[in-house]
Amino acid sequence: MLDLQKCAAQDRVAAAIEHKRQIEEARRTRIFNPRVRTIGVDKEFLDRQVEEKKRLRDLEREHESRMDEALVRSSKLASLLQRQQDQERRRLNQEINAFRQTHQKPESRRDFDLDDPALLKKSKPLAEAYHELGPSSAQKFEGEDENQAVRRREQREQMQAWIAQQVQERRLAEQERAELERRYQEAVLGRDGRALELDRMERACRRRLNEATANFNRALAAEQEQRKCWLAAQEAEDSRAEIYNHVTGDFLNESRDQANSVCGPQRPLVAHYKGMSSRELEVIRDEQARQMGEIQRMKKDETVKNAEWNQLINGNARVAESYQRELDRRRSELNRQIAEENRRLAQQQKSHQDYLNRHVYKHNPSPEFYEQFNRSTR
């Protein structure tokens, strides 16, 4: 018993160790794999997931509400159709029962006398029908039809009555159909007569309308002809008046006074202006000569200024060139000093590295030294 308990305890310890080892292996796989390792939580992705789930829940809730509404409408429509179908079925059953009670009574069947429940009550007793015959006469048998002649006569009378009734019903149907046909023919004839009357009235109205239109067009043509004559006369009169005004006006007479304006002598009327006088032309020429002299003087001044500017620019260029040469000389000197300092530092660093390699780092670590690191996730 103690051995079993000890084995069970060892098994539990081994299982716990194996479980921890598996957890460590899984954790090492997650941590040491840079493709799946994440630091912290991606809050934006989680927020998008929450929004997506919320949107899906809203869509599902909306879809369920629409499905519920459609189901309610379908249920209402189905119940309404079921009620209508039940009402129609009850109405048909009532009509069928009424027809059966009126036209399909049991006693109206042709072989009703064979299935009549009161047949024995209506027939005569055997003692009265065969009172002179005994049991051994062999003249009376079970199932014998005693009223065959009467039954056949009554059946023939009933068949004749049915045939007469059918003939009467057919005759009434024919009469009703003929009456309906006659009424239909009368309605068609009345409609055709009304159509002919309307067509005749329409033609008469169209003829009167065409006559009125023709009269109006003739009157309008006469009025337009008269208006054309009046407009031609008016235009001829206006042309003569215009010619007279041009001949006697100031425009063709070359009068300079007609260009005078109330706005002043410097703003003549453009439509009546006849050109400048000789005095005005002389004033303009004098002004043009003065402006040309002013332009020549300004060109000379500009030439002098350009020469001065060119001298100044050349002097500045020479100064800048000498300054650039000085900068290049100083830069080359600085580069030389930097190169010498770099060589000195390189030599010093090399001597220091040689000292470290010979005296400090005598023993180089083996690969096993580096493999002992980064073996656990703890």
Side-chain angles (χ1 to χ4, degrees):
M1 186 68 181
L2 295 175
D3 294 335
L4 293 176
Q5 292 179 355
K6 185 181 294 183
C7 291
Q10 292 177 357
D11 292 340
R12 286 196 297 272
V13 171
I17 293 172
E18 181 64 23
H19 180 65
K20 289 183 178 180
R21 188 183 64 78
Q22 292 177 359
I23 293 175
E24 182 67 20
E25 289 293 333
R27 190 166 184 270
R28 182 183 296 118
T29 303
R30 291 195 307 271
I31 292 177
F32 291 156
N33 189 359
R35 294 181 179 272
V36 299
R37 182 177 65 243
T38 57
I39 300 175
V41 180
D42 192 355
K43 185 175 182 303
E44 296 181 356
F45 180 74
L46 296 178
D47 293 339
R48 288 198 299 271
Q49 285 186 341
V50 171
E51 293 295 333
E52 184 68 19
K53 290 182 179 180
K54 184 177 179 182
R55 187 178 64 82
L56 292 176
R57 285 198 299 271
D58 294 339
L59 291 176
E60 185 177 0
R61 192 179 300 109
E62 184 179 359
H63 178 68
E64 290 178 357
S65 63
R66 288 200 300 268
M67 292 296 293
D68 294 339
E69 293 176 358
L71 181 60
V72 171
R73 289 196 300 270
S74 301
S75 300
K76 291 182 180 179
L77 182 59
S79 61
L80 179 61
L81 293 176
Q82 185 66 31
R83 286 198 299 271
Q84 293 179 356
Q85 187 176 2
D86 295 339
Q87 293 176 1
E88 185 68 19
R89 188 181 294 108
R90 285 196 297 271
R91 186 182 64 79
L92 290 176
N93 292 332
Q94 291 176 1
E95 292 180 357
I96 291 172
N97 293 329
F99 179 80
R100 287 175 178 175
Q101 293 177 3
T102 305
H103 301 286
Q104 294 181 353
K105 294 181 178 180
E107 57 269 14
S108 63
R109 294 200 297 267
R110 183 175 60 181
D111 53 353
F112 176 73
D113 53 348
L114 299 178
D115 299 329
D116 190 2
L119 179 62
L120 297 177
K121 295 180 181 180
K122 296 179 182 179
S123 62
K124 295 181 180 181
L126 294 177
E128 295 181 2
Y130 304 99
H131 58 280
E132 71 279 1
L133 300 176
S136 60
S137 63
Q139 298 295 323
K140 181 176 68 172
F141 301 98
E142 190 69 27
E144 185 179 4
D145 191 2
E146 300 177 356
N147 299 324
Q148 182 179 6
V150 176
R151 180 177 57 78
R152 288 184 177 180
R153 185 178 68 252
E154 290 178 354
Q155 287 180 352
R156 285 194 298 271
E157 292 177 356
Q158 188 176 14
M159 186 66 69
Q160 292 175 0
W162 284 353
I163 293 173
Q165 182 179 0
Q166 291 179 0
V167 171
Q168 182 68 21
E169 290 178 356
R170 184 173 296 176
R171 186 182 299 110
L172 292 176
E174 288 291 334
Q175 292 178 0
E176 185 176 359
R177 187 182 61 78
E179 181 67 20
L180 291 175
E181 186 69 23
R182 185 183 61 79
R183 292 180 181 177
Y184 176 73
Q185 293 294 335
E186 290 179 356
V188 172
L189 292 175
R191 185 187 61 190
D192 294 342
R194 181 62 177 170
L196 292 174
E197 181 66 22
L198 291 175
D199 185 62
R200 185 183 61 78
M201 294 173 63
E202 184 179 1
R203 289 182 179 179
C205 182
R206 188 180 292 110
R207 185 175 61 255
R208 290 194 296 270
L209 182 61
N210 291 334
E211 291 177 357
T213 303
N215 294 332
F216 176 75
N217 290 335
R218 285 194 293 270
L220 184 61
E223 183 179 356
Q224 289 180 354
E225 188 66 26
Q226 184 179 2
R227 183 176 179 82
K228 285 182 181 179
C229 295
W230 181 79
L231 289 175
Q234 184 69 26
E235 186 176 359
E237 183 66 25
D238 293 340
S239 299
R240 288 193 296 270
E242 185 177 2
I243 292 171
Y244 177 77
N245 291 331
H246 281 299
V247 170
T248 59
D250 295 334
F251 185 77
L252 297 178
N253 293 330
E254 298 294 335
S255 178
R256 295 183 179 275
D257 296 335
Q258 61 181 346
N260 296 331
S261 174
V262 296
C263 297
Q266 302 300 328
R267 300 185 64 181
L269 297 177
V270 179
H272 300 280
Y273 186 67
K274 296 301 180 179
M276 293 184 294
S277 61
S278 58
R279 185 176 61 82
E280 293 175 346
L281 292 174
E282 186 178 357
V283 171
I284 291 174
R285 292 192 186 96
D286 295 340
E287 182 64 23
Q288 289 177 352
R290 187 187 65 79
Q291 291 178 359
M292 290 177 66
E294 185 69 22
I295 291 171
Q296 292 294 332
R297 186 182 61 79
M298 291 174 64
K299 286 182 178 180
K300 290 180 181 179
D301 294 342
E302 186 176 0
T303 302
V304 173
K305 288 182 179 179
N306 290 333
E308 293 176 355
W309 273 107
N310 290 330
Q311 292 178 1
L312 180 61
I313 290 171
N314 292 330
N316 292 334
R318 288 192 296 271
V319 172
E321 185 177 359
S322 62
Y323 181 72
Q324 183 66 33
R325 286 197 298 270
E326 182 66 20
L327 287 178
D328 294 338
R329 186 183 62 77
R330 292 181 180 180
R331 186 181 294 109
S332 61
E333 182 68 20
L334 182 61
N335 291 332
R336 186 181 60 77
Q337 294 177 2
I338 292 173
E340 291 178 357
E341 183 68 19
N342 289 334
R343 283 195 296 272
R344 187 181 63 79
L345 290 175
Q347 186 176 4
Q348 184 179 358
Q349 186 177 5
K350 182 178 179 181
S351 61
H352 181 69
Q353 188 66 34
D354 293 339
Y355 172 77
L356 291 177
N357 293 331
R358 292 177 181 177
H359 299 87
V360 178
Y361 302 134
K362 294 181 178 181
H363 304 287
N364 293 327
S366 62
E368 290 79 4
F369 176 76
Y370 295 104
E371 289 179 356
Q372 68 179 344
F373 298 104
N374 204 15
R375 303 288 293 178
S376 176
T377 59
R378 303 298 177 180

